[in-house]
Amino acid sequence: MRGLFSFPDPVNGTSARLVAAGVVVQAVVFLVVREWWLLVPLVYGFAARVLTGPTLSPLGQLATCVVTPRLHVEHRLVPGPPKRFAQGIGLAFTAGAAIAWALGATVVSSVLI
């Protein structure tokens, strides 16, 4: 069980960037479509990656097991803890967005400074 709840160190930088690109695509789709259920895979994905790295994350598995091995580029290993921290920040923001949406905040307002 301890092996399940671990984060790899180091991580493949290519896989990390692919996961980030997938998250951006998911976020843009949510912002365009504006359906609450699109937040569910975002929140789940961040939570899964914080807790287990790519092990329980469908997007993490796609990036590490399917896409990255097929890319013919030089893969660079990078430290894992900053990537886990980034996933935690993503979890905080997406969970906050999901909670705000559930409480009825469907409009994002901008503040001019």
Side-chain angles (χ1 to χ4, degrees):
M1 191 71 155
R2 184 173 184 201
L4 177 65
F5 292 104
S6 63
F7 197 89
D9 186 28
V11 299
N12 185 322
T14 305
S15 295
R17 289 180 189 274
L18 288 169
V19 169
V23 167
V24 168
V25 169
Q26 287 179 304
V28 168
V29 168
F30 167 73
L31 290 172
V32 170
V33 178
R34 313 233 353 125
E35 292 290 334
W36 70 269
W37 58 268
L38 290 170
L39 286 173
V40 174
L42 272 171
V43 173
Y44 170 77
F46 278 119
R49 288 186 298 275
V50 165
L51 294 173
T52 67
T55 306
L56 296 180
S57 165
L59 184 56
Q61 286 293 306
L62 177 68
T64 59
C65 298
V66 178
V67 179
T68 300
R70 288 173 171 76
L71 295 177
H72 299 292
V73 298
E74 183 179 339
H75 303 292
R76 198 173 118 217
L77 297 179
V78 296
K83 301 301 181 188
R84 188 176 212 175
F85 176 77
Q87 296 299 321
I89 296 298
L91 175 60
F93 276 94
T94 55
I99 291 167
W101 190 277
L103 294 175
T106 59
V107 177
V108 177
S109 63
S110 61
V111 177
L112 297 176
I113 298 176

